[in-house]
Amino acid sequence: MSNSDTMANRWTRFQNRLYARLSQRRKAVAGFAADPEPRTVGSFARGRQLVAGNLLFAGFLVEAQDTGLWDVTAPSTGFDNERHGFAWLDDLAAVGDMRAREKAQRWVWGWIDAHGRGQGPGWAPDLTGRRVIRWINHSAFLLRGMDDERSKVFFRALAQQSWFLSKRWQAATPGLPRFEALAGLVQAGLALQGLEQMADPALRALARECEKQIDTQGGIPTRNPEELLEVFTLLTWTSAALSDLGRGTPGAQADAIKRIAPTLRNLRHSDGALARFHGGGRGLEGRLDQALAQSGVRPQHASGLAMGYARLYAARTSVIVDASAPPKGTASYNAHASTLAFELTSGRRPLIVNCGSGESFGLEWRRAGRATPSHSTLCLDGYSSARLTGPVPGTEKEALVDTPKDVPTELEDVIEGARFMIGHDGYAKVFGLTHARTFELRFDGRELTGEDILLTATDKAKRQFDKALDASNLKGIEFDVRFHLHPDVDAAIDLGGAAVSMALKSGEIWVFRHDGVAKLSVEPSVYLEKGRLKPRATKQIVLSGRAMEYATRIRWTLSKAQDTAYAVRDMHRDEPDFD
C-alpha cells in the first residue's frame, strides 16, 4: 500500500468528518414543500424480523430484542454500512403497523442522538444520500404521532445532512455511490422548504454523471446488473419527484433512463429476476418491475449485446450469457472471471446459475465467488480466465487482471431457433488454447444445445500448447465444464452415468446429456445468496476431461421432458446424434 494512497483515503475521511461537524451549524428547515410520495419497496418478511429484534445485515444476524440498533457492536463494515444507509426503513414501512412504526421512530431518532452531531461511519456521501432518500420517502410514517419538538429535531437533521451532501457528493466514488449521493441531494432540494437552491445544481451534476457513466448501450462500467438496476431506480425516483412538482426531467437524465430500460429488460430472466453476474444478485423483489413501470419506457425489441450480455429467449425459457471481457480498472474491484458463463431459467424456476457474490460471507468466499470455477462455464486446470491481484494500494479491493483480450460474438437465427457463438483467449497465454462456445436454443424453449471447443488458433498458440502438454508429462490439460444448479433443483445421475435428471419445484423435468467425450459427474456446489447467514448447499453437473490435441470438442444438451410421467423414459432415450 503506497503512502500517497493511504494519505488520500485518510484525507477523504477527515474531510467527511470535518463537514459533518460543520453541518451542525445548519438550522432546521420549516418542513416539506409538498408531502413526499413513498417510492421505495420493502420486504414485509424482513420487516417482521426487524420488529422481532433480528438484525440481518450483510450476512450477519444479531439478536437485539432489548438493545437499541445503535448500541449493537457491528460485526463487519458491511453491517455498519447497511444500518447507516437506512434501506431497512423500507422493510419496516412495508409492515406499517404500530410496532413497526415505533421501532422505526426509535431507531431514526436514536441515530440523531448517537450520530447526528457528525460522529460515526454513516457520514459518507453515498450512505448519507441513501439515508436522506429513506427519511424523506417515509416521513409520513415516521412523523406520525411526533410532537413539534421531535419533528424539529428530525427536520434539523435532514437539513444538516442535505448541506453535507451539497459539499461532499463529489467525494463519492463515481458510479452507484455518486448517484446515491446526488439523488439524495436532489430529493432534499425538491422536498424541503428553504433548500430549493440545492436542487438545480444537483440536477445538473446528476445529468453530467448520466453522460459520463451510462454508455450508449445503457450499461455501466462495472457491468453489474443489480447495480445498474439501483442506478436506474434512483434516476426514475428523481424523475418522478420532478414530475410531481410539474417539472421536466433534464435531457441527459431522461436519455439515460431510455437507454437503461431496454438493457435491464435484456438482463431479466423469465422469472423476473436479474442475471447474477459481476457481484450482482437477483435484485429486490418487485424493484425491477416498479422501476420499469415508473420509467414509462415502453418495451422494444433489442438486438445485439446488452451491457456485454447476450440473451436467448423462447417460450419462457431464458438464457443469459456473459459475452464480454470483465470490467477493467476500478470497475474490476468486484468483477468476476465469468466470460462465456451462462444462466438458464425455465418459467418461474432457475435451473442453471452462477454461484454469485460471496462478499457478505467473508473474504475467502468473496474470492471463491469471483473465480471461473464458480460459474457455469469451462475452466482449464483449475485456472480462472482472469487473474485476481492482491489488495489494490489504498483499498481493501482486489482488481481483476490478465483478462481475455479478444471476445468475438455472433448471433444468428437458425431453422429451429437461435444460435449464439462466442469465444475468448483468456487461456491462450498459459495454455495456448482459445475457448469457443456455441448455444442453440430451440424455438419452443424446450432444448438448449451447447458445444465447447478448445483450440489452438495460431502457430504460436500451438507452440504454447505443446509446451503446456510437455509440462503435464503428456497427460493432457485438464478441463472441467461446470453447470451449477439452483438449490431448489433436485438432480440425480442415471445408473449408466450418461445423463442427469433435474426436477424443478414446478414439476418440470430437465435432462442433461453429453456426447461421451468427457466424464460426467454430479458434485457439491454452493449458492451464494445475499441476505442469508451462510451459503446454501446445492449441486453442479461437471464434465471432466483432458485436452490432448490442438482441438477438443465437448457437446451437451439441456432438454425439457414432455412431462413428469415420461421423465424416466425421456432420460434413457437413445443418445442424440452429435454429428
Side-chain angles (χ1 to χ4, degrees), residues 20 50 55-58 68-89 107-108 110-135 161 164-165 180:
L50 289 170
L55 312 179
L56 179 56
F57 299 141
L69 177 61
W70 311 109
D71 297 326
V72 170
T73 300
S76 73
T77 301
F79 185 100
D80 228 3
N81 288 342
E82 284 201 22
R83 65 174 173 175
H84 279 281
F86 276 73
W88 47 262
L89 197 51
W107 287 355
V108 168
W111 185 90
I112 296 172
D113 291 338
H115 303 287
R117 294 179 180 85
Q119 306 96 334
W123 288 90
D126 55 332
L127 296 179
T128 304
R130 200 182 309 168
R131 185 168 59 245
V132 165
I133 289 171
R134 265 64 186 194
W135 285 23
Q161 294 173 81
F164 172 83
L165 284 172
E180 287 184 312

Side-chain angles (χ1 to χ4, degrees), residues 203-372:
L203 281 166
R204 289 193 292 270
L206 187 62
R208 289 194 298 270
E209 290 302 310
C210 288
E211 293 174 337
K212 292 178 184 177
Q213 297 293 323
I214 312 300
D215 63 24
T216 55
Q217 284 189 349
I220 55 178
T222 62
R223 297 190 56 232
N224 179 327
E226 187 176 25
E227 196 170 288
L228 180 65
L229 170 59
E230 292 303 312
V231 170
F232 183 68
T233 300
L234 291 169
L235 295 179
T236 57
W237 284 345
T238 303
S239 182
L242 288 165
S243 178
D244 290 344
L245 296 175
R247 297 184 56 177
T249 301
Q253 181 179 333
D255 290 344
I257 290 172
K258 291 177 183 177
R259 294 198 303 274
I260 295 173
T263 297
L264 281 173
R265 287 190 169 100
N266 270 357
L267 298 176
R268 181 171 57 175
H269 277 296
S270 55
D271 63 346
L274 289 169
R276 302 166 75 245
F277 285 99
H278 294 294
R282 294 167 56 80
L284 292 175
E285 189 74 27
R287 173 68 61 82
L288 178 55
D289 288 337
Q290 182 201 36
L292 288 172
Q294 198 169 60
S295 73
V297 180
R298 294 184 177 182
Q300 53 186 303
H301 176 73
S303 58
L305 303 184
M307 202 167 73
Y309 298 95
R311 184 176 190 263
L312 304 178
Y313 182 83
R316 301 203 68 211
T317 296
S318 59
V319 177
I320 299 179
V321 185
D322 186 351
S324 295
K328 293 179 173 59
T330 57
S332 76
Y333 289 172
N334 292 310
H336 289 208
S338 57
T339 307
L340 273 64
F342 80 104
E343 293 189 323
L344 184 151
T345 295
S346 177
R348 301 290 299 176
R349 299 293 174 180
L351 176 62
I352 305 297
V353 296
N354 297 304
C355 292
S357 172
E359 184 171 13
S360 62
F361 306 115
L363 179 60
E364 293 305 313
W365 277 115
R366 182 175 184 271
R367 288 178 61 90
R370 299 176 71 185
T372 300

Side-chain angles (χ1 to χ4, degrees), residues 321-322 337-342 372 375-380 383 385 404 406-409 421-429 431-439 450-457 479-483 550 552-554 556:
V321 185
D322 186 351
S338 57
T339 307
L340 273 64
F342 80 104
T372 300
H375 299 82
S376 293
T377 187
L378 179 144
C379 180
L380 271 182
Y383 280 71
S385 57
D406 188 22
V407 187
T409 65
M421 295 168 284
I422 182 173
H424 80 73
D425 59 355
Y427 296 118
K429 183 177 179 180
F431 301 104
L433 291 171
T434 293
H435 177 204
R437 195 164 220 194
T438 299
F439 300 91
E451 180 179 71
D452 289 285
I453 302 175
L454 292 168
L455 64 125
T456 52
F479 67 80
D480 296 295
V481 188
R482 301 176 184 274
F483 304 83
Y550 290 147
T552 302
R553 187 184 303 246
I554 310 104
W556 47 268

